[in-house]
Amino acid sequence: MRSIWKGSLAFGLVNVPVKVYSATESHDISFHQVHAKDGGRIKYQRVCTECGEVVPYQDIDKAYDSEDGERVVLTDEDFEKLPAAEKHEIPVLQFVPTEQIDPILFEKSYYLEPDSSSPKAYGLLAATLEQSDRTALVHFTLRQRTRLAALRTRDGLLILQTLLWPDEVRAAEFESLDDIEKPKQRELAMAETLVESMSDDFDPTEFTDEYQVELRTLIDEALARGGEKVFQVAEPDTGEEDAEVLDLVAALQRSVDAAGKKVPSGSSSGGKKSSKDEGEDEGAKKKAPAKKTASKSTAKKSPAKKSAAKKTASKSSASKSTAKKSPAKKTAAKKTSGERKGA
């Protein structure tokens, strides 16, 4: 496993260096949207609903629509003004009885590994939580968002579980429950007898995700059988993006934005490259070796360039050297990288 966060736990004057790892992963099989006729992948482009143009990622900002129909646009500079907890510290706020935390609040789980040559403080905190039967409430900042989290132990290992905020849990108000008749004592006794007959210790290994098993079998049989539903994948890079990777790109962009904040403040705000531009330049460099056989006039050969040219016919007066300066091409490089990760 690779750690996703590195910092320290802080409670009182005790400081515990730790590394954070995602404790769970999905085993669901991922699918792509394709054209049923020929198996071609369905691509995604960011098109402005006002002007109809394909918009480069560096020109995209976030906006909020009010109930009155007004839209306010927020830039990266606006988000930098918002308060956030220390990014490399997990402060303990208080210790609470474990049974007081409603399981509905639990969101995502993380493993905490000691990151010190002398993990004595780590072991002390884990043992204290175990013996006291209490859970530590902490603040955990990940990808520019500060979360409330529960810190507990599991077989001597510290586990961090992010919690939903109270206003994120919906109130359950169902009128159909108001007139339910109270169960009779005999009915309760029979129901308890049935429960007792089906009671056992919980062992998660006894249960199987039959849907995923059957789905994998279905896919393997289709591949072995071949036929008109199986296509040989050989698509050129088009600079467009899969519809399914939209959420992934948004998540990656938040990570890139967070990393961009580490740029020294001495850089000029007007001429410096944004973290988005840097990411695109990196994508372009990585793609360069793969195009050894390309013609010198890449403006004619690049599928991404052709796609951009069709969408921006109104820009026919642009310079002929767009192969070097066109934002559309930079965006194509980044989007292609997003496709490979999504695939």
Side-chain angles (χ1 to χ4, degrees):
M1 291 189 294
R2 293 182 59 184
S3 63
I4 62 171
W5 189 94
K6 184 175 180 180
S8 61
L9 273 167
F11 65 107
L13 299 178
V14 179
N15 194 276
V16 186
V18 293
K19 292 179 180 179
V20 176
Y21 301 81
S22 292
T24 60
E25 61 183 0
S26 173
H27 65 194
D28 289 353
I29 297 174
S30 299
F31 291 95
H32 302 292
Q33 293 180 347
V34 299
H35 186 189
K37 179 180 179 180
D38 52 24
R41 293 280 290 275
I42 304 300
K43 302 298 181 179
Y44 173 88
Q45 285 187 322
R46 296 178 178 85
V47 179
C48 176
T49 58
E50 293 293 328
C51 63
E53 295 183 359
V54 177
V55 183
Y57 203 94
Q58 64 267 23
D59 293 340
I60 295 177
D61 282 324
K62 299 180 179 68
Y64 173 79
D65 292 349
S66 70
E67 295 180 356
D68 298 331
E70 294 182 310
R71 175 172 296 170
V72 56
V73 178
L74 300 177
T75 65
D76 293 340
E77 290 73 18
D78 294 321
F79 286 103
E80 289 174 0
K81 298 175 183 178
L82 298 177
E86 171 58 44
K87 289 184 178 181
H88 298 288
E89 184 175 271
I90 303 175
V92 175
L93 307 177
Q94 60 182 140
F95 295 91
V96 300
T98 300
E99 67 272 10
Q100 290 184 2
I101 303 178
D102 191 335
I104 198 173
L105 295 174
F106 290 127
E107 188 177 21
K108 187 170 176 58
S109 300
Y110 300 90
Y111 292 139
L112 268 61
E113 177 193 20
D115 187 27
S116 171
S117 57
S118 178
K120 184 177 180 179
Y122 181 100
L124 174 63
L125 178 57
T128 302
L129 290 174
E130 184 73 28
Q131 293 184 17
S132 65
D133 195 24
R134 287 182 176 268
T135 295
L137 293 181
V138 303
H139 271 159
F140 179 44
T141 302
L142 182 66
R143 300 187 183 96
Q144 293 183 291
R145 179 185 172 192
T146 299
R147 299 161 169 84
L148 184 65
L151 181 69
R152 63 180 184 87
T153 60
R154 181 172 183 264
D155 299 329
L157 178 69
L158 290 177
I159 303 291
L160 187 72
Q161 291 181 284
T162 53
L163 302 175
L164 298 171
W165 297 103
D167 61 354
E168 291 181 307
V169 179
R170 292 178 175 176
E173 299 176 353
F174 303 110
E175 296 180 0
S176 58
L177 296 176
D178 296 338
D179 300 325
I180 291 183
E181 182 181 353
K182 187 176 181 180
K184 295 180 175 61
Q185 192 61 37
R186 183 179 177 182
E187 295 171 336
L188 279 175
M190 293 184 65
E192 289 175 358
T193 301
L194 176 60
V195 169
E196 190 63 31
S197 67
M198 299 176 65
S199 297
D200 201 350
D201 292 329
F202 176 59
D203 182 2
T205 61
E206 293 182 355
F207 303 92
T208 304
D209 188 346
E210 295 182 359
Y211 178 85
Q212 292 296 325
V213 172
E214 293 297 328
L215 179 59
R216 172 55 66 184
T217 301
L218 178 66
I219 292 173
D220 291 341
E221 290 177 350
L223 289 172
R225 185 169 56 251
E228 61 181 13
K229 289 186 177 181
V230 179
F231 301 89
Q232 188 64 36
V233 179
E235 290 189 7
D237 293 335
T238 63
E240 298 174 346
E241 187 174 2
D242 291 353
E244 292 88 356
V245 303
L246 172 60
D247 292 339
L248 173 61
V249 171
L252 290 174
Q253 186 58 42
R254 288 195 295 269
S255 301
V256 171
D257 292 343
K261 288 187 176 181
K262 299 179 182 179
V263 177
S265 58
S267 301
S268 60
S269 58
K272 71 176 183 179
K273 280 189 176 182
S274 68
S275 58
K276 301 170 186 173
D277 291 332
E278 292 174 356
E280 291 167 1
D281 289 343
E282 284 296 320
K285 291 178 182 178
K286 291 180 180 178
K287 285 180 63 66
K291 296 187 176 181
K292 291 182 179 179
T293 60
S295 170
K296 293 182 180 179
S297 58
T298 54
K300 298 181 179 180
K301 294 283 185 180
S302 171
K305 181 73 179 178
K306 287 182 179 180
S307 175
K310 293 178 182 179
K311 299 289 183 180
T312 56
S314 60
K315 297 183 180 179
S316 58
S317 60
S319 172
K320 293 183 179 179
S321 60
T322 53
K324 296 183 180 178
K325 305 239 173 161
S326 171
K329 186 166 184 181
K330 286 187 176 180
T331 306
K334 175 160 185 167
K335 291 178 179 176
T336 304
S337 177
E339 285 179 24
R340 294 176 178 172
K341 292 183 181 178

